[in-house]
Amino acid sequence: MTSTPAQTAESIVALSPGAMLRRRAFGHYGLLFGLAVLGLVFAAALFAPLLAEHSPYTQNLAARMKPPFWMAGADPSHLLGTDQLGRDYLARLLYGARISLLIGIVTAVISGLIGTTLGVAAGYFGGKVDLAVTFLINVRLAMPVVLVALAIVALFGGSLQIVILVLGFLLWDRFAVVMRSSVMQIRGLEYVNAARAIGCTTPRILLSEIMPNVVNNLIVVMTLEMAHAILLEAALSFLGLGVQPPTPSWGLMISEGKEMMLFQPWLITIPGIALFLLVLAINLLGDGLRDVTAPEAKG
Amino acid sequence: MTDPILNVRNLTVDIPIGAGTLHAVRGIDFELNRGETLCIVGESGSGKSLTSLAIMGLLGKRLQVRADVLEFEGRDLRSMPPREMRALRGDRMAMIFQEPMTSLNPAYTIGDQLCEALRLHRKVSKAEAMTRAADLLGKVGITAAESRLRQFPHQLSGGLRQRVMIAMALMCEPDLIIADEPTTALDVTIQAQILRLLADLKREMNMALILVTHDLGVVARIADKVAVMYAGEIVESGSAKAIFDAPAHPYTRGLLNCIPVPGKTKPGEPLGSIPGIVPSLIGTVSGCAFRSRCELAVEACATTVPERSASGEHMYRCFHEPLKSEVA
Amino acid sequence: MSGMKNREPVLELTNITKTYQVKQGMFSKPKPLQAIGGVSLRLHKKDVLGLVGESGCGKSTLAKILLGLEQPTSGEVLVDGKEIGPADRQLLARRIQPIFQDPYSSLNPRKSIEEIVSLPLVVHKIGDSASRSRAVAKMLDLVGLPERVRRGYPGQLSGGQRQRVAIARALVINPEIVICDEPTSALDVSIQSQILNLLADLREELGLTYLFISHNLAVIEHLATRVAVMYLGRIVEETSAADLFAGPKHPYTRALLDSVLTPDPSLAVPDIHLGATFPNPISPPPGCHFHPRCPLATDLCATKVPPHVQAGSSHVDCHFYEKSADGLSIQPI
């Protein structure tokens, strides 16, 4: 054969996409912090029964309003004090983590499924499908999410399941918009044309050629919508229209403690700080993931 | 004998990446006189574009540009404060980029952009600037200049946009124009027109022209002087006639063997080729960078390679004698 | 391979047109843009048909139609004499494969080379995983890539290596026809010649037929057996490569050939005499599409569509030519 073979001796120096990703991830402080805090919250939620001595529901009116361990008059058996019904705050905090995480994850999954399906369809097929989806997105964006959630909860009563469903069916817009534009960018690339020319069916192209290249955007949006959902649930519960007492939702804990804000501030500061840290961690994780998977976008 | 308009000695560009440094341009020398056309030829990774950007002072702070001599019209460009550099750019030296689709701002009219090029450097009224803009559009062969001035870049084709870029570069009558692959993105019939235009304007305005390209055909037709770059170095330089009639460096010979020439290369016969790929320029680079692909390589090529003269101004970097036979 | 071709063409296009509806603004009616206006072509086995033309001539659209990526507005695509419709895309894919221009976007960055090259086999359910693995190894060897590349990813390879992978992918299911859409335009000159030599070798070894699209006439002259010149969606001249380069007939062909800059320092850049007007595909000039730029244009050219002058397998669409008396050649009027 007269044509020359390609020399690759020194050429496979660059790392595979997976290895490069791992290397970048370990250097990113925001990402690592977010991951660490999120990991802690997960552990707290998972091991709540082991970590808390008391149940979050047991009322002990004799031990009401005990301050947390760093204040005077603390009760050593209640590390973070008790609330106005004598329930152990540490237990309520840890079990509350379960609620927040559950809401965050399940809502993100539901809205993710809806939004991604719509967005990918709009991005890949274009034309009338795109027009329809864009219309739906615009309708959804015109809706005030909190008011709609309130209205539905007012109609059907508040509960964990209702909140999850309502938020899941309302928070899909960012998924749709991001997936749509990502898919539109990729659809024009030649490897998609090559796949079509090879004879790939549309489902195969969507799953095998396009999805792997948009999945990093998807994960970033997913983390951000998780944080969004958690905050919304806290707001709804604060207003009394989310999770109902005695379930230990952090938003509900803030609501229940707001009357005693001046004299027993820990009742709202403890769940407040927990919420803040969790949402911050998720946002940092999301930002970090975006930086790490698309460093070109950092500018 | 007038001084050269551009004098470059030992220009280096280093790019810090991760743990090491990429030595993208490794000590190049050349000079350019008024009215001359220098073509810098090379493939990707040769450092030719970086060279032109370094001369214009358009490289970011992260890239370390050093030179023993980097003088334009006697002025030292190395230590020039950014303000003075900005005054020079667009006025005394101008650049034409490769991509006509993206080098014009889509939000402004052609007229606005042309006028801005002039008014940044001269105190003239908008009306005067517009007149000159219309003048130059006519010079670059654009008819109905008045209406064109009011158009936006997206309303023009690639060839027209590139002519506008040339007009923009000429607004202040610069002494030096650097064109980086100005016709690579254009159709081949338009390419011929643009190249003729550049050559005519250069002659008319007595400018110096540096044309960076990978296309040896273009080089042969318009260059007075040629510098062949490979892996950050100039491996051969001289007059166009000398280089094409008797290429001395194995890389230049290899390149000339690679391209199919209608009438010369026999259809159906395999083309010459240069096996392998450009070596990495990260970390210390010693000896001849071409030795991994050169069939004439010997032990000595791993040490510093001498600069030799084939004849007069024609120099090349190689141990071997230039082979006397014509390129096949 | 020269001589009388009474065999069936492996690929034939009859009167293909492709019109897009282009929106001119939010509220105005879309205007038709005729990307291809009546193209007929024949490809015989082991031909290399060079398709040349500049931007906007429709050659890429034609390639997409041949690959089943677009449907023609009218006209037929025949493979081995049988008409191919939109439903036969899978069938078409086994016979015709592409090599695209940009080695950097024609390979999925998230798939390993092994997955990329074996994809056609997987899609067409050919063989089992063991035989596919062997096929991939054989293809990589054929295109001159070392074995260890298969575990790597496109991001680790150079442009030339990626293009070799694209060639391997195109050939792994043994297609007969390969559509090469500017396969070397994005590559360095020294790599370009490697790839061109590879393509020539593979054609010999595997008996392939190429449709080679390029704007680089020097490359076409080197590789092609026949050449078709496109301008604004029409083929203005088609003949054997030898004849075209020895004696181009259509004024546009002549301009194209004159524009080729050979590395001869004793020559300057030629004056092509094409004028500065640029064709707008949405409102093409009346009569002969080329007349505003043609140095020979007359009033006739501005009003009447030029005739299709055919002799044997060559043709020219120009007012200045006619068929010779014996019907065997084309001569100027």
Side-chain angles (χ1 to χ4, degrees):
Chain A
M1 200 159 77
T2 45
S3 55
T4 36
Q7 236 159 290
T8 15
E10 58 243 290
S11 63
I12 307 195
V13 176
L15 300 164
S16 72
M20 266 200 328
L21 203 71
R22 275 195 296 279
R23 174 185 285 187
R24 281 205 292 265
F26 283 115
H28 195 290
Y29 294 129
L31 180 73
L32 295 174
F33 175 80
L35 212 52
V37 171
L38 201 56
L40 270 176
V41 176
F42 252 107
L46 204 59
F47 297 114
L50 295 174
L51 294 169
E53 297 166 36
H54 307 267
S55 153
Y57 299 103
T58 319
Q59 299 181 12
N60 183 358
L61 294 170
R64 298 171 62 222
M65 311 283 220
K66 290 274 189 236
F69 68 88
W70 61 83
M71 292 172 73
D75 182 339
S77 67
H78 295 285
L79 267 179
L80 287 184
T82 58
D83 67 1
Q84 63 276 32
L85 293 178
R87 295 176 292 200
D88 180 37
Y89 232 42
L90 177 61
R92 286 186 74 76
L93 189 71
L94 292 176
Y95 279 83
R98 288 189 172 188
I99 304 290
S100 291
L101 285 177
L102 188 67
I103 303 253
I105 294 173
V106 179
T107 306
V109 167
I110 295 177
S111 55
L113 280 171
I114 299 176
T116 304
T117 313
L118 288 175
V120 169
Y124 189 74
F125 297 107
K128 295 206 175 67
V129 177
D130 190 13
L131 279 176
V133 170
T134 312
F135 176 73
L136 283 174
I137 295 177
N138 285 328
V139 166
R140 155 61 195 89
L141 285 175
M143 282 197 250
V145 174
V146 179
L147 291 182
V148 170
L150 286 179
I152 297 192
V153 168
L155 273 178
F156 296 102
S159 76
L160 188 59
Q161 294 86 331
I162 299 272
V163 170
I164 290 182
L165 280 176
V166 166
L167 292 180
F169 277 87
L170 279 177
L171 292 181
W172 54 263
D173 54 287
R174 199 186 303 194
F175 285 102
V177 167
V178 171
M179 284 293 105
R180 176 176 170 274
S181 64
S182 302
V183 169
M184 276 170 89
Q185 273 178 356
I186 299 209
R187 196 212 342 170
L189 291 177
E190 283 188 339
Y191 59 84
V192 174
N193 270 339
R196 288 174 63 207
I198 288 172
C200 287
T201 53
T202 306
R204 168 172 245 131
I205 292 180
L206 285 173
L207 281 171
S208 166
E209 303 288 332
I210 296 193
M211 283 312 286
N213 285 293
V214 300
V215 102
N216 28 308
N217 285 349
L218 180 58
I219 291 181
V220 173
V221 178
M222 201 159 252
T223 55
L224 297 176
E225 288 302 317
M226 247 182 85
H228 196 189
I230 291 174
L231 277 179
L232 274 178
E233 178 274 320
L236 285 174
S237 302
F238 180 83
L239 293 172
L241 293 165
V243 172
Q244 297 299 308
T247 321
S249 147
W250 291 346
L252 199 52
M253 286 160 72
I254 296 180
S255 169
E256 288 171 341
K258 66 177 183 297
E259 268 99 51
M260 281 77 67
M261 193 166 68
L262 290 173
F263 296 104
Q264 284 89 23
W266 71 87
L267 291 177
I268 57 171
T269 51
I270 290 179
I273 291 178
L275 255 180
F276 167 76
L277 280 177
L278 177 60
V279 170
L280 178 68
I282 297 178
N283 278 314
L284 283 175
L285 181 65
D287 277 355
L289 281 175
R290 190 195 52 227
D291 287 346
V292 153
T293 56
E296 319 78 62
K298 234 185 345 185
Chain B
M1 169 77 171
T2 45
D3 285 330
I5 192 176
L6 181 65
N7 198 353
V8 178
R9 295 259 168 271
N10 199 16
L11 174 67
T12 60
V13 178
D14 292 323
I15 308 175
I17 49 168
T21 316
L22 174 66
H23 303 286
V25 179
R26 305 181 291 125
I28 61 174
D29 309 325
F30 62 86
E31 24 179 85
L32 189 62
N33 296 306
R34 217 173 243 292
E36 270 186 341
T37 303
L38 164 70
C39 275
I40 304 182
V41 200
E43 298 179 302
S44 48
S46 58
K48 59 190 196 299
S49 285
L50 281 175
T51 303
S52 57
L53 290 171
I55 296 173
M56 292 283 290
L58 286 174
L59 291 176
K61 281 210 231 9
R62 270 191 352 123
L63 281 70
Q64 294 150 9
V65 178
R66 281 184 279 260
D68 289 346
V69 176
L70 184 59
E71 277 176 11
F72 174 67
E73 294 182 328
R75 301 166 67 174
D76 190 355
L77 294 181
R78 294 171 303 168
S79 51
M80 195 173 279
R83 215 156 176 226
E84 276 186 57
M85 207 53 215
R86 271 202 299 275
L88 263 190
R89 270 202 295 270
D91 185 5
R92 308 318 322 136
M93 52 185 195
M95 191 148 176
I96 301 170
F97 295 95
Q98 173 174 355
E99 232 354 285
M101 298 295 141
T102 50
S103 13
L104 289 171
N105 190 329
Y108 293 94
T109 61
I110 305 290
D112 282 341
Q113 298 189 53
L114 285 170
C115 288
E116 183 188 44
L118 180 59
R119 295 181 77 202
L120 275 173
H121 301 283
R122 303 267 190 283
K123 282 187 170 29
V124 291
S125 70
K126 187 94 187 271
E128 286 171 335
M130 277 294 186
T131 320
R132 176 147 174 85
D135 231 10
L136 277 173
L137 283 186
K139 250 205 178 53
V140 299
I142 295 183
T143 51
E146 301 293 336
S147 60
R148 291 289 186 195
L149 286 175
R150 283 191 293 273
Q151 286 187 322
F152 286 89
H154 68 265
Q155 296 171 284
L156 279 71
S157 69
L160 274 180
R161 281 188 231 198
Q162 203 61 318
R163 289 174 194 255
V164 169
M165 287 298 299
I166 295 176
M168 203 146 75
L170 294 174
M171 284 299 277
C172 298
E173 284 190 36
D175 299 319
L176 169 68
I177 289 199
I178 303 183
D180 190 347
E181 309 255 22
T183 54
T184 304
L186 301 174
D187 285 331
V188 73
T189 49
I190 312 291
Q191 168 171 274
Q193 295 176 332
I194 299 284
L195 288 173
R196 277 180 71 89
L197 177 65
L198 270 177
D200 289 342
L201 289 168
K202 183 207 82 171
R203 237 187 334 263
E204 187 186 316
M205 298 180 163
N206 199 25
M207 299 181 298
L209 174 66
I210 298 181
L211 193 94
V212 176
T213 181
H214 66 277
D215 188 334
L216 285 164
V218 169
V219 176
R221 302 296 184 105
I222 69 167
D224 298 318
K225 289 168 139 154
V226 178
V228 180
M229 281 188 77
Y230 182 78
E233 281 184 315
I234 293 184
V235 295
E236 185 164 357
S237 68
S239 72
K241 188 158 167 33
I243 302 246
F244 282 92
D245 284 349
H249 194 279
Y251 176 61
T252 318
R253 304 173 64 86
L255 269 189
L256 286 167
N257 274 331
C258 277
I259 46 182
V261 180
K264 265 179 138 190
T265 44
K266 279 173 69 180
E269 289 282 305
L271 293 166
S273 60
I274 307 179
I277 52 178
V278 184
S280 164
L281 295 175
I282 303 178
T284 22
V285 187
S286 62
C288 175
F290 188 60
R291 66 181 185 278
S292 56
R293 307 170 75 183
C294 182
E295 51 188 18
L296 301 174
V298 294
E299 288 269 321
C301 298
T303 62
T304 348
V305 184
E307 205 174 292
R308 306 177 50 159
S309 160
S311 66
E313 293 276 305
H314 182 182
M315 77 49 104
Y316 67 107
R317 280 180 194 279
C318 188
F319 283 110
H320 295 91
E321 291 291 325
L323 300 168
K324 293 299 174 204
S325 59
E326 207 33 55
V327 175
Chain C
M1 280 293 110
S2 57
M4 304 282 279
K5 288 188 164 62
N6 352 17
R7 300 161 293 151
E8 277 282 309
V10 286
L11 183 63
E12 185 168 358
L13 299 173
T14 13
N15 245 314
I16 297 282
T17 64
K18 178 70 186 176
T19 311
Y20 293 101
Q21 297 294 327
V22 175
K23 281 211 278 287
Q24 295 282 294
M26 239 199 343
F27 297 108
S28 43
K29 251 171 53 117
K31 277 182 121 180
L33 190 162
Q34 194 179 52
I36 301 181
V39 160
S40 298
L41 272 182
R42 285 195 171 148
L43 263 184
H44 291 93
K45 194 161 166 66
K46 287 195 90 171
D47 262 353
V48 177
L49 176 61
L51 194 59
V52 300
E54 299 181 296
S55 45
C57 70
K59 54 192 202 291
S60 288
T61 312
L62 201 62
K64 291 207 179 111
I65 290 177
L66 284 171
L67 292 166
L69 297 173
E70 299 251 11
Q71 294 305 314
T73 311
S74 73
E76 289 131 25
V77 178
L78 298 122
V79 175
D80 280 345
K82 285 196 298 282
E83 190 174 338
I84 295 280
D88 305 309
R89 186 144 66 83
Q90 284 255 341
L91 205 63
L92 199 67
R94 289 204 65 164
R95 313 288 298 277
I96 307 184
Q97 281 293 303
I99 298 170
F100 291 110
Q101 173 176 357
D102 186 357
Y104 292 92
S105 68
S106 59
L107 303 180
N108 188 334
R110 303 233 177 263
K111 286 187 158 181
S112 69
I113 304 297
E114 172 99 38
E115 289 174 295
I116 292 175
V117 178
S118 58
L119 181 66
L121 297 171
V122 171
V123 167
H124 293 273
K125 303 192 183 29
I126 300 176
D128 56 15
S129 90
S131 68
R132 283 179 206 156
S133 180
R134 280 195 299 274
V136 169
K138 179 162 154 252
M139 286 318 305
L140 289 178
D141 182 51
L142 203 61
V143 301
L145 286 169
E147 172 84 29
R148 77 183 101 89
V149 160
R150 42 193 314 174
R151 285 181 296 278
Y153 286 80
Q156 300 166 294
L157 304 180
S158 71
Q161 290 161 339
R162 286 188 219 204
Q163 205 63 317
R164 290 177 194 255
V165 171
I167 295 174
R169 172 179 64 189
L171 297 179
V172 77
I173 48 170
N174 296 317
E176 289 170 13
I177 305 165
V178 184
I179 313 282
C180 307
D181 191 349
E182 311 259 15
T184 56
S185 308
L187 301 173
D188 282 329
V189 164
S190 58
I191 310 293
Q192 181 169 266
S193 66
Q194 292 179 16
I195 301 292
L196 289 174
N197 286 342
L198 175 64
L199 286 174
D201 284 341
L202 289 171
R203 176 179 157 241
E204 276 308 308
E205 260 183 74
L206 304 175
L208 299 169
T209 310
Y210 288 155
L211 178 72
F212 200 95
I213 300 175
S214 180
H215 63 275
N216 185 336
L217 283 145
V219 167
I220 295 277
E221 196 255 2
H222 186 77
L223 262 190
T225 55
R226 295 188 59 75
V227 182
V229 181
M230 277 187 84
Y231 187 79
L232 268 193
R234 299 214 152 93
I235 296 189
V236 296
E237 182 168 357
E238 184 190 347
T239 184
S240 75
D243 284 345
L244 191 104
F245 286 92
K249 296 189 169 62
H250 196 283
Y252 179 61
T253 315
R254 288 210 218 122
L256 274 183
L257 261 71
D258 287 343
S259 310
V260 175
L261 300 176
T262 53
D264 185 345
S266 61
L267 299 172
V269 179
D271 192 352
I272 316 290
H273 307 292
L274 270 191
T277 51
F278 302 94
N280 183 354
I282 293 187
S283 43
C288 172
H289 282 357
F290 186 60
H291 85 261
R293 302 171 77 191
C294 183
L296 307 173
T298 62
D299 285 337
L300 180 63
C301 304
T303 46
K304 232 171 138 237
V305 174
H308 180 90
V309 182
Q310 177 111 26
S313 56
S314 307
H315 75 85
V316 179
D317 286 18
C318 184
H319 285 296
F320 290 95
Y321 289 92
E322 67 184 359
K323 206 150 100 157
S324 65
D326 58 12
L328 286 177
S329 67
I330 299 174
Q331 65 195 23
I333 291 182

